[in-house]
Amino acid sequence: MLSTNNLSDRQRGRPREFNPDQAIERAMQIFWTKGYQGTSLPDLMGATKLSRGSLYAAFGDKHGLFLLALDRYISQALERLDEELASGRNALEGLKECMDGYVARTDGAAGQRGCLVVATAMELAAWDQEISQRIAHFFKAMEARLIKALARAKEEGSLAKNVDPTATAHMLVCFLEGLRVVRKIKAEPQRARAAVQMLISSLVA
């Protein structure tokens, strides 16, 4: 009888070169498309190209893999937010670039998936503390970045005097994430762009 110690990785159902980062990315895409409950183990096995045993050995279980996928999504979202906020000649231009980016990401088939954080908040946050903590971290980090950008705009003199950076940042988080939800029903993109333009106009000194 052949010992399992002598079996090749391919014979055990695991690729010769297993890239955990790539597997998490692929899992994230499946979870983003189907949601946590809608994603089956076969879905994850197909996406990651891992056998059941290899997937469990690498990530523990479906929930463990989902947490890693959610962490990846959050990290990518905050990195993109930092890049967009820093892209303008001044803070207000960076803020507009950020908001335009949100609108752009609601277009097309990809936009129909909405935001993984928002979808997860609706599906799981009420009963899963680990997920609830991650979502709270994301919104807090997003809001902190917007507060900083708005405070800088105020220092630059481009923000209207009656605009409070803290309250406005919270409003923007609600607006931008709400936009991802509304656009899932294929609302016209020009309406979203008009809403962004009106909001920016209300902030300008």
Side-chain angles (χ1 to χ4, degrees):
M1 179 174 169
L2 183 64
S3 169
T4 56
N5 291 331
N6 295 324
L7 291 175
S8 68
D9 284 342
R10 187 180 298 277
Q11 287 172 306
R12 287 196 294 264
R14 183 174 61 206
R16 290 182 184 276
E17 295 182 2
F18 167 53
N19 185 326
D21 192 60
Q22 188 178 70
I24 293 169
E25 171 67 27
R26 289 173 174 172
M28 183 190 80
Q29 296 297 330
I30 291 294
F31 283 127
W32 192 359
T33 300
K34 293 191 169 187
Y36 180 77
Q37 300 291 356
T39 299
S40 66
L41 183 58
D43 289 332
L44 293 172
M45 291 165 58
T48 60
K49 311 302 181 187
L50 292 173
S51 68
R52 180 190 301 262
S54 294
L55 192 146
Y56 283 150
F59 304 112
D61 56 15
K62 174 182 171 180
H63 187 263
L65 180 53
F66 181 75
L67 291 177
L68 291 172
L70 184 60
D71 286 342
R72 182 179 183 85
Y73 182 93
I74 288 172
S75 177
Q76 290 177 351
L78 292 177
E79 183 178 339
R80 183 172 56 242
L81 181 60
D82 287 335
E83 291 173 356
E84 290 174 347
L85 289 173
S87 64
R89 291 174 298 178
N90 55 53
L92 203 58
E93 279 194 6
L95 184 62
K96 186 177 186 304
E97 184 68 24
C98 163
M99 296 176 72
D100 286 342
Y102 262 81
V103 173
R105 288 188 288 278
T106 64
D107 287 339
Q112 293 303 304
R113 294 194 295 179
C115 173
L116 178 60
V117 172
V118 172
T120 301
M122 299 298 291
E123 184 181 10
L124 304 174
W127 57 269
D128 191 315
Q129 186 175 8
E130 287 181 286
I131 286 174
S132 179
Q133 289 173 344
R134 282 165 165 79
I135 292 171
H137 160 72
F138 172 72
F139 287 137
K140 184 176 180 180
M142 181 180 179
E143 191 167 314
R145 285 161 167 78
L146 292 172
I147 290 173
K148 185 176 179 180
L150 288 162
R152 192 166 70 251
K154 201 162 191 108
E155 291 173 0
E156 294 168 350
S158 58
L159 206 64
K161 290 183 179 180
N162 65 329
V163 174
D164 174 64
T166 300
T168 303
H170 184 69
M171 177 193 69
L172 289 177
V173 170
C174 295
F175 172 81
L176 293 172
E177 294 302 332
L179 181 66
R180 302 291 296 274
V181 176
V182 172
R183 290 282 285 126
K184 278 175 67 67
I185 61 169
K186 301 182 180 180
E188 298 87 343
Q190 60 269 26
R191 295 184 66 187
R193 295 188 184 97
V196 166
Q197 185 56 51
M198 184 185 73
L199 189 50
I200 287 291
S201 298
S202 70
L203 303 177
V204 177

